Amino acid sequence: MSHYITIITSLPYLAPLSANKALPISRIGLEQRLAALSEADRQQLAVMESLFSLSVETLKTNQQWADFWRQQCQSIESDVLKDFFQRMGEALALLSVERERLLGYQPLTLVYGRYQPQVTKRSGDVLFGLEAQWPEVAAVAQALAEKKAKKASRLFDQWLWNQLILCEQSEMFRYENIVSYVLRWRLVERAKVSRLGVMKGDESMSSLFLSMRDSVINRANSSLTPFMQEAL
């Protein structure tokens, strides 16, 4: 527990997503702090970062995706974080089917989550009449219906941000707080890259950016001295 407190208190404040114009800490600085995590915790974080990287703009769900998502969720040990990713999976699956509805596909099949009867019954409605249960996700679906992909992505990321804040509020100075911070940091990074025009409209630029970032992270990890690790 004590090393979690040390990591958490060393992390700079992340302003609300809509107000966050710059990252308060670099990925190198973040990795230096995360070096104090146990190997098991780092592996869990890697699984969650991989799931979190999926974009609402491009995702197409199918049975293979659903099986993979369930398997990965089952491997998450924290009940709070497992619940978050299960809800994220449901939202992504609903939005994927919503996109198919807008394209005129029939029949509509929900491959993940509890709402297939609702999808069948209300197949002509935006988000299949689930506005009361999923108001923020319904706003994303409406943006998709209006062909405003960037707005949809921005609204979805804001919903993720809000859900992660709830995860943090349910725990104090625990592993969940660290994971939530890292994932919210990624949302700020994604918004920053989007503003630069890297993630939208130029996949080669996006690939180059992400490759450069991963290279920097690897160099940062390998360059940590035992003294620096002990200080963390």
Side-chain angles (χ1 to χ4, degrees):
M1 176 75 73
S2 60
H3 67 288
Y4 288 150
I5 295 175
T6 301
I7 296 172
I8 292 166
T9 55
S10 74
L11 296 171
Y13 173 66
L14 276 174
L17 185 58
S18 59
N20 223 318
K21 304 302 181 184
L23 290 164
I25 184 174
S26 68
R27 185 72 200 208
I28 293 176
L30 190 56
E31 286 295 325
Q32 289 173 341
R33 286 156 176 79
L34 297 177
L37 291 174
S38 69
E39 182 60 29
D41 284 345
R42 288 184 66 84
Q43 289 177 0
Q44 285 272 296
L45 179 58
V47 168
M48 290 182 275
E49 283 202 81
S50 176
L51 289 176
F52 199 72
S53 66
L54 294 174
S55 170
V56 71
E57 291 186 61
T58 58
L59 178 69
K60 283 193 67 176
T61 59
N62 53 34
Q63 193 58 53
Q64 183 179 5
W65 171 87
D67 292 342
F68 171 78
W69 195 275
R70 288 191 191 93
Q71 181 184 21
Q72 296 299 94
C73 283
Q74 287 304 311
S75 73
I76 298 173
E77 296 178 2
S78 164
D79 290 338
V80 170
L81 295 170
K82 182 182 294 186
D83 181 67
F84 165 79
F85 277 100
Q86 287 172 338
R87 284 182 59 80
M88 181 181 173
E90 282 193 308
L92 287 170
L94 281 168
L95 291 169
S96 178
V97 177
E98 172 67 18
R99 187 181 293 108
E100 293 178 1
R101 183 188 74 82
L102 294 171
L103 293 172
Y105 294 171
Q106 290 292 338
L108 298 174
T109 302
L110 186 70
V111 296
Y112 185 91
R114 304 160 283 172
Y115 298 108
Q116 180 60 53
Q118 188 80 3
V119 168
T120 302
K121 182 179 178 180
R122 302 282 296 273
S123 61
D125 298 333
V126 173
L127 205 67
F128 317 105
L130 293 169
E131 297 91 338
Q133 296 97 315
W134 299 80
E136 297 93 342
V137 178
V140 179
Q142 184 60 45
L144 290 174
E146 297 169 357
K147 299 182 179 180
K148 296 178 180 178
K150 285 188 176 182
K151 179 181 178 182
S153 181
R154 185 171 66 252
L155 288 172
F156 188 73
D157 282 356
Q158 184 61 61
W159 177 73
L160 291 174
W161 180 281
N162 295 341
Q163 295 298 307
L164 288 167
I165 291 294
L166 293 177
C167 291
E168 287 192 34
Q169 292 173 345
S170 69
E171 303 288 344
M172 290 295 292
F173 298 107
R174 296 178 65 87
Y175 179 63
E176 288 82 358
N177 301 100
I178 298 170
V179 174
S180 174
Y181 186 95
V182 172
L183 299 182
R184 288 193 297 118
W185 184 96
R186 287 188 65 121
L187 290 174
V188 177
E189 180 192 45
R190 192 150 73 192
K192 178 182 176 183
V193 172
S194 181
R195 284 195 297 270
L196 292 172
V198 175
M199 291 187 69
K200 188 70 175 175
D202 192 336
E203 293 187 6
S204 63
M205 286 280 290
S206 177
S207 298
L208 177 61
F209 175 86
L210 295 175
S211 175
M212 290 171 63
R213 185 194 67 178
D214 291 342
S215 176
V216 169
I217 292 170
N218 291 335
R219 289 201 303 272
N221 288 337
S222 63
S223 65
L224 288 174
T225 65
F227 173 79
M228 291 172 64
Q229 294 181 11
E230 184 177 347
L232 291 171

